[in-house]
C-alpha cells in the first residue's frame, strides 16, 4: 500500500513525458520535406512508379527526364497527353514540392 502513490506519480510522469515527445515529433514530421515524396506516392506512382521509371500507359521515364523545373511545373499543372492536369488537385506549393521530389529521382543512380 505504501508504494501506491509513487507508482501513480511515476505513471503520470511517464504519460506526460511520452505525450509531450509524441506531439513534438508529429510537429516536426508535418513541417519537414518528405511531403513531396508523399504526394508523389499518392498521385504519380500509379503511372510513373516509385522510381519514376514505370512508364505505365505511355508515361515518361522521370528519372531520364531532361526538361527544366519550370517545364515540369507547367506540365504537372496543366497536364499533357494522357497525363491529367493537377491544378485542381494540388496547390501550387504542392506541385512545386512534388516536382522537386521528382527531380531527385534521376540523380540517385
Ligand atoms: C495517368 C497516368 C499519369 C499520372 C497519374 C501522372 N503522370 Fe506524369 N506523365 C504521364 C504521361 C502519359 C506522360 C507523357 C505525356 C506526353 O508527353 O505526352 C507524363 C509525363 C510527365 C512528365 C514529363 C517528363 C518529360 O521529360 O517530358 C513529368 C515531369 C511528369 N509526368 C510528372 C508527373 C507528376 C509529378 C505526377 C504526379 C503529380 C504525374 N506525372 C502523374 C502519365 C501520368
Amino acid at each position: 500500500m505504501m508504494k501506491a502513490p509513487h507508482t501513480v506519480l511515476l505513471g503520470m510522469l511517464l504519460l506526460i513525458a511520452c505525450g509531450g515527445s509524441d506531439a513534438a515529433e508529429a510537429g516536426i514530421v508535418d513541417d519537414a520535406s518528405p511531403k513531396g515524396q508523399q504526394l508523389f506516392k499518392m498521385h504519380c506512382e500509379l503511372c510513373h512508379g516509385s522510381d519514376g521509371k514505370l512508364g505505365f500507359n505511355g508515361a515518361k521515364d522521370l528519372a531520364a527526364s531532361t526538361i527544366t523545373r519550370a517545364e515540369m511545373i507547367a506540365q504537372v499543372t496543366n497536364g499533357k497527353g494522357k497525363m491529367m492536369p493537377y491544378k485542381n488537385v494540388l496547390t501550387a506549393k504542392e506541385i512545386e514540392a512534388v516536382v522537386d521530389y521528382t527531380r531527385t529521382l534521376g540523380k540517385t543512380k
Side-chain angles (χ1 to χ4, degrees):
M1 277 316 256
M2 287 291 278
K3 279 192 170 170
H6 289 94
T7 311
V8 170
L9 191 64
L10 187 66
M12 280 172 67
L13 281 173
L14 281 172
L15 268 179
I16 290 163
C18 292
S21 75
D22 276 353
E25 268 169 37
I28 289 163
V29 168
D30 270 352
D31 290 338
S33 47
K35 204 178 175 199
Q37 185 175 9
Q38 281 170 23
L39 291 168
F40 190 87
K41 278 195 190 307
M42 271 163 51
H43 298 283
C44 323
E45 219 176 88
L46 181 70
C47 297
H48 289 288
S50 60
D51 58 0
K53 294 171 182 286
L54 183 64
F56 177 76
N57 214 4
K60 294 245 174 99
D61 178 350
L62 296 179
S65 178
T66 53
I67 65 175
T68 65
R69 183 175 186 268
E71 285 169 332
M72 275 195 185
I73 290 172
Q75 184 157 337
V76 174
T77 305
N78 301 312
K80 186 179 178 193
K82 288 186 190 130
M83 185 170 142
M84 65 176 216
Y86 281 87
K87 60 180 170 228
N88 297 323
V89 181
L90 303 173
T91 65
K93 275 208 146 132
E94 286 172 333
I95 290 174
E96 278 187 43
V98 81
V99 162
D100 284 338
Y101 175 73
T102 300
R103 296 183 69 77
T104 67
L105 293 174
K107 281 154 196 157
T108 51
K109 279 154 209 133

